[in-house]
Amino acid sequence: MSTTDEIIELSERHSAHNYHPLPVVVSEARGAWVTDVEGRRYLDCLAGYSSLNFGHGNPAILNAAQEQLQRVTLTSRAFFHDRFADFCAGLADLCGKDMVLPMNTGAEAVETAVKVARKWGYEVKGVAPGRAEIIVMDGNFHGRTTTIVSFSTDPDARDGFGPATPGFTIVEYGSAEAVREAITPDTVAVLLEPIQGEAGVLVPPAGYLTRVREICTENNVLFIADEIQSGLGRTGDTFACEHEGVVPDMYVLGKALGGGVVPVSAVVADASVLRVIKPGQHGSTFGGNPLACAVGGAVLDLLKTGEYQARARELGALLHERLRALIGPAGEGGHGVVAVRGRGLWAGVDIDPSIATGREVCEALMRRGVLAKDTHGSTIRLAPPLVISEEDLNWAVDRLTEVLDELSGTAAPAEAAEQAPVPSPRTPELSGR
Ligand SMILES: *Cc1c(COP(=O)(O)O)cnc(C)c1O
């Protein structure tokens, strides 16, 4: 078996450098824990950017996948298969909508939403051909296709990949007034993340989603919620929009919908919207395949119990309480945390940049057995699987506290030298587990 260094060296030589991973090589995982090729264990506080809400190797999801693997895995949409109807009906029901258009990755689902909104604009709203406009937000992250990066405001994501796809207007995130001012007779949709994940877990001001919803309704504009990262339990509700009781016209889902097993994404909307797509106008060879539908169906069953949402809510309250206690100057009552944002088991933690970069904090956390990811220089993103135990969550925050004290030079030397042992994995009682 190869060592960590050998595997990393080979990967760097033969794979494009489109990521900058932490130097850990995972070989096994269960629940909230992963094990690397050297046998070291880590608490996974990223959870595949919320793709692993139900934990690694969730038994209910694995059972559904294994059973389906033995029966039929792919038919293409040229034929029906016996998993399709239940999955689509179940997902539509979860969203309170009529119809589902299944795809695979998140970016494909966003592309689908853009196409549907434009076609709806021309055929239903009556926008002149080629003039449809979609309002998007500053700081957005919706994926990596050429059209999606056309309206990114992150230079790394956008620059060098032009020419840009026209038809998008970027406004300030969190300002409903900015949305209202940007609407023209050609506006067909507003596309936003109810909480901006990649931007650093930015929660918009209270009332923002409600006001955007009203503005969309008043102007006959579709409200598209990209809940790819915020949805399916992460924030303590099934959807982050629920926090304000807001129902979008189109949900864009992905990540956790595939149960951490296969890519499953979808656009969910009423028939009045999705019926604009006719045979031959959109599709995907793998979208809605039997394995995807079996896994997605298992995910829907887990969500229906409400336990995962409740867990994100309760443990999220604990997480945020403990993180807020770290706010303040290092050694003077605080631990060098500047701000904490988020909802449920999802937090963006801004570290005082004079102490360390986000990357340095994540590397130090890794050495202590916690995997997390930095974003935008000095922000750490925490999004553990929703199956994490309370003890493990506390353990992770203890490690973060130690790391911050060590990096700011405020830890007692003896304490800094002493590494807390990585505990045995603990898995709470939840249905499907
Ligand atoms: C991850 C993500 C996407 C893109 O999903 P992929 O599966 O990586 O294409 C789109 N929108 C949001 C909000 C995301 O977090």
Side-chain angles (χ1 to χ4, degrees):
M1 188 170 70
S2 310
T3 66
T4 298
D5 288 347
E6 287 164 356
I7 294 169
I8 291 174
E9 204 267 329
L10 196 63
S11 303
E12 294 288 294
R13 198 140 32 93
H14 295 295
S15 77
H17 296 181
N18 56 329
Y19 282 90
H20 180 31
L22 288 172
V24 56
V25 181
V26 173
S27 56
E28 275 180 60
R30 266 297 174 276
W33 290 86
V34 305
T35 306
D36 76 3
V37 287
E38 322 268 351
R40 288 180 293 240
R41 287 186 303 106
Y42 305 84
L43 187 58
D44 181 359
C45 287
L46 181 65
Y49 300 92
S50 287
S51 300
L52 289 154
N53 283 2
F54 310 98
H56 292 273
N58 184 296
I61 295 171
L62 282 194
N63 282 345
Q66 265 151 359
E67 222 167 82
Q68 194 58 42
L69 279 172
Q70 307 301 322
R71 296 177 62 236
V72 56
T73 50
L74 190 68
T75 54
S76 87
R77 293 287 308 280
F79 317 117
F80 286 93
H81 63 74
D82 66 352
R83 291 285 172 188
F84 189 72
D86 282 347
F87 171 66
C88 293
L91 182 55
D93 185 53
L94 186 81
C95 298
K97 299 286 182 193
D98 300 333
M99 282 184 175
V100 169
L101 200 169
M103 297 294 282
N104 310 284
T105 65
E108 284 175 306
V110 172
E111 286 276 350
T112 303
V114 166
K115 287 176 71 176
V116 168
R118 284 179 170 183
K119 204 142 192 301
W120 174 89
Y122 300 129
E123 293 183 2
V124 179
K125 183 166 177 170
V127 171
R131 299 209 38 103
E133 281 285 331
I134 296 177
I135 296 173
V136 297
M137 302 302 142
D138 188 22
N140 71 73
F141 182 84
H142 297 291
R144 301 294 196 173
T145 66
T146 46
T147 285
I148 293 169
V149 302
S150 294
F151 59 84
S152 173
T153 55
D154 174 356
D156 277 340
R158 184 196 62 214
D159 292 355
F161 302 113
T165 305
F168 298 94
T169 305
I170 301 167
V171 303
E172 185 193 339
Y173 184 62
S175 166
E177 195 51 29
V179 170
R180 199 185 56 73
E181 282 170 12
I183 287 181
T184 73
D186 293 333
T187 304
V188 295
V190 172
L191 166 64
L192 60 76
E193 300 154 83
I195 292 179
Q196 285 189 334
E198 300 300 305
V201 196
L202 300 188
V203 182
Y208 171 68
L209 298 175
T210 308
R211 189 69 195 110
V212 171
R213 172 69 275 182
E214 286 166 1
I215 292 165
C216 287
T217 305
E218 283 160 15
N219 291 278
N220 194 24
V221 163
L222 299 175
F223 183 150
I224 308 173
D226 179 346
E227 292 252 19
I228 290 171
Q229 195 167 158
S230 58
L232 309 185
R234 175 57 56 191
T235 63
D237 288 305
T238 304
F239 301 109
C241 282
E242 276 177 71
H243 188 73
E244 290 198 13
V246 161
V247 179
D249 297 297
M250 254 194 272
Y251 286 99
V252 187
L253 304 174
K255 293 206 164 102
L257 191 57
V261 178
V262 282
V264 183
S265 69
V267 162
V268 189
D270 277 334
S272 57
V273 175
L274 272 182
R275 273 226 189 93
V276 300
I277 300 290
K278 310 271 181 342
Q281 296 176 344
H282 190 57
S284 158
T285 305
F286 289 91
N289 69 70
L291 183 60
C293 290
V295 166
V299 165
L300 296 178
D301 287 343
L302 295 180
L303 284 170
K304 266 184 233 148
T305 70
E307 287 169 78
Y308 290 83
Q309 296 90 325
R311 217 173 158 74
R313 208 155 43 233
E314 287 152 22
L315 291 181
L318 171 73
L319 174 67
H320 285 277
E321 185 192 315
R322 290 221 44 202
L323 290 174
R324 276 196 302 271
L326 305 180
I327 294 176
E332 295 167 44
H335 295 265
V337 167
V338 176
V340 177
R341 295 173 301 273
R343 182 168 295 138
L345 271 176
W346 201 16
V349 183
D350 291 344
I351 310 292
D352 176 353
S354 72
I355 293 178
T357 62
R359 175 78 185 188
E360 286 164 341
V361 173
C362 288
E363 285 172 355
L365 280 172
M366 184 195 77
R367 289 192 291 273
R368 288 176 186 263
V370 176
L371 296 183
K373 186 73 177 82
D374 54 296
T375 179
H376 298 285
S378 52
T379 300
I380 314 291
R381 197 164 17 166
L382 297 176
L386 310 183
V387 301
I388 192 172
S389 69
E390 185 175 330
E391 297 92 323
D392 289 346
L393 188 64
N394 276 312
W395 184 82
V397 181
D398 291 343
R399 301 291 77 71
L400 175 63
T401 312
E402 271 176 17
V403 159
L404 292 174
D405 290 350
E406 179 187 274
L407 290 169
S408 65
T410 54
E415 234 176 276
E418 196 183 308
Q419 299 252 332
V422 177
S424 304
R426 286 167 283 223
T427 306
E429 284 296 319
L430 278 162
S431 20
R433 299 205 51 86

